[in-house]
Amino acid sequence: MQLLFEVVTEQLQEGNNVNLPIVNLRPGISGSFSGASDSFDSKRHKTKATASIGALISKSMKSVSVEKTNRPLTIPLLSSFRDIQTGSLNDILTVGGIGELSGSDLNYNVAHPDEGIFLISTTNEEYKVTQVAVLHPKKLVFSIPLVPAGNYTLIVRKNFGNSGKTLRQGRLNAIVKNS
């Protein structure tokens, strides 16, 4: 196999195309030339190789059977909550303190009233976070609102889709406590 790689590399360096059953390779140059008399200049031009599918792969793909699958819905994914005051992870909630949520697809539109960070009590009372300092896809840093003592689930709601009207929510797989 190593010999094949060496021969292919050598042929490309010599300016030759290499056609294999699974891939076709062609050497080339990128950049602009100012005219017919302009020559290669490494500051303006780059050597490169391009690849395309070889005949064997192209032929075999014609007989592939396909099956439509549904892709999973994208939702905010909450991986962890850290209470900055106590350093607690996924456990303590300090009212009036700073909280940090980590995950993915966490950023949301603050102008949309249905979107945001919410604390849901065990009696299904909702408390929306109103002060957010960091609003990034992978991290939210916010002021924890004044909520009664108890256990809470943290959720993030956000609109998805081209119309921005598909409200979805993700929740932290932990109950946080405010004592």
PDB file of all heavy atoms in Angstrom, residues 40-46:
ATOM      1  N   PHE A  40       4.733  31.190 -12.555  1.00  0.00           N
ATOM      2  CA  PHE A  40       4.319  30.785 -11.211  1.00  0.00           C
ATOM      3  C   PHE A  40       5.082  31.588 -10.162  1.00  0.00           C
ATOM      4  O   PHE A  40       6.296  31.720 -10.215  1.00  0.00           O
ATOM      5  CB  PHE A  40       4.589  29.278 -11.012  1.00  0.00           C
ATOM      6  CG  PHE A  40       4.150  28.780  -9.668  1.00  0.00           C
ATOM      7  CD1 PHE A  40       2.828  28.421  -9.440  1.00  0.00           C
ATOM      8  CD2 PHE A  40       5.044  28.670  -8.614  1.00  0.00           C
ATOM      9  CE1 PHE A  40       2.416  27.959  -8.203  1.00  0.00           C
ATOM     10  CE2 PHE A  40       4.644  28.213  -7.368  1.00  0.00           C
ATOM     11  CZ  PHE A  40       3.321  27.864  -7.164  1.00  0.00           C
ATOM     12  N   ASP A  41       4.328  32.121  -9.199  1.00  0.00           N
ATOM     13  CA  ASP A  41       4.904  32.878  -8.091  1.00  0.00           C
ATOM     14  C   ASP A  41       4.282  32.317  -6.807  1.00  0.00           C
ATOM     15  O   ASP A  41       3.070  32.405  -6.609  1.00  0.00           O
ATOM     16  CB  ASP A  41       4.564  34.363  -8.251  1.00  0.00           C
ATOM     17  CG  ASP A  41       5.052  35.230  -7.101  1.00  0.00           C
ATOM     18  OD1 ASP A  41       5.684  34.700  -6.158  1.00  0.00           O
ATOM     19  OD2 ASP A  41       4.793  36.452  -7.131  1.00  0.00           O
ATOM     20  N   SER A  42       5.102  31.740  -5.928  1.00  0.00           N
ATOM     21  CA  SER A  42       4.584  31.075  -4.725  1.00  0.00           C
ATOM     22  C   SER A  42       3.845  32.032  -3.783  1.00  0.00           C
ATOM     23  O   SER A  42       3.096  31.589  -2.925  1.00  0.00           O
ATOM     24  CB  SER A  42       5.709  30.366  -3.969  1.00  0.00           C
ATOM     25  OG  SER A  42       6.677  31.295  -3.536  1.00  0.00           O
ATOM     26  N   LYS A  43       4.036  33.334  -3.957  1.00  0.00           N
ATOM     27  CA  LYS A  43       3.303  34.297  -3.130  1.00  0.00           C
ATOM     28  C   LYS A  43       1.874  34.497  -3.637  1.00  0.00           C
ATOM     29  O   LYS A  43       0.994  34.839  -2.861  1.00  0.00           O
ATOM     30  CB  LYS A  43       4.035  35.630  -3.111  1.00  0.00           C
ATOM     31  CG  LYS A  43       5.350  35.572  -2.362  1.00  0.00           C
ATOM     32  CD  LYS A  43       6.036  36.922  -2.337  1.00  0.00           C
ATOM     33  CE  LYS A  43       7.329  36.796  -1.578  1.00  0.00           C
ATOM     34  NZ  LYS A  43       8.484  37.239  -2.321  1.00  0.00           N
ATOM     35  N   ARG A  44       1.650  34.273  -4.915  1.00  0.00           N
ATOM     36  CA  ARG A  44       0.324  34.470  -5.510  1.00  0.00           C
ATOM     37  C   ARG A  44      -0.356  33.172  -5.931  1.00  0.00           C
ATOM     38  O   ARG A  44      -1.554  33.148  -6.180  1.00  0.00           O
ATOM     39  CB  ARG A  44       0.423  35.367  -6.748  1.00  0.00           C
ATOM     40  CG  ARG A  44       0.869  36.783  -6.462  1.00  0.00           C
ATOM     41  CD  ARG A  44       0.901  37.642  -7.725  1.00  0.00           C
ATOM     42  NE  ARG A  44       1.925  37.159  -8.655  1.00  0.00           N
ATOM     43  CZ  ARG A  44       1.720  36.886  -9.939  1.00  0.00           C
ATOM     44  NH1 ARG A  44       0.545  37.044 -10.469  1.00  0.00           N
ATOM     45  NH2 ARG A  44       2.700  36.450 -10.706  1.00  0.00           N
ATOM     46  N   HIS A  45       0.408  32.106  -6.012  1.00  0.00           N
ATOM     47  CA  HIS A  45      -0.124  30.843  -6.523  1.00  0.00           C
ATOM     48  C   HIS A  45       0.160  29.699  -5.555  1.00  0.00           C
ATOM     49  O   HIS A  45       1.129  29.737  -4.808  1.00  0.00           O
ATOM     50  CB  HIS A  45       0.521  30.514  -7.890  1.00  0.00           C
ATOM     51  CG  HIS A  45       0.378  31.609  -8.884  1.00  0.00           C
ATOM     52  ND1 HIS A  45       1.441  32.407  -9.259  1.00  0.00           N
ATOM     53  CD2 HIS A  45      -0.698  32.053  -9.571  1.00  0.00           C
ATOM     54  CE1 HIS A  45       1.032  33.290 -10.153  1.00  0.00           C
ATOM     55  NE2 HIS A  45      -0.270  33.102 -10.360  1.00  0.00           N
ATOM     56  N   LYS A  46      -0.687  28.703  -5.597  1.00  0.00           N
ATOM     57  CA  LYS A  46      -0.526  27.507  -4.767  1.00  0.00           C
ATOM     58  C   LYS A  46      -0.709  26.275  -5.640  1.00  0.00           C
ATOM     59  O   LYS A  46      -1.584  26.249  -6.509  1.00  0.00           O
ATOM     60  CB  LYS A  46      -1.582  27.458  -3.654  1.00  0.00           C
ATOM     61  CG  LYS A  46      -1.545  28.636  -2.705  1.00  0.00           C
ATOM     62  CD  LYS A  46      -0.591  28.362  -1.578  1.00  0.00           C
ATOM     63  CE  LYS A  46      -0.657  29.483  -0.564  1.00  0.00           C
ATOM     64  NZ  LYS A  46       0.550  30.153  -0.327  1.00  0.00           N
TER      65      LYS A  46
END
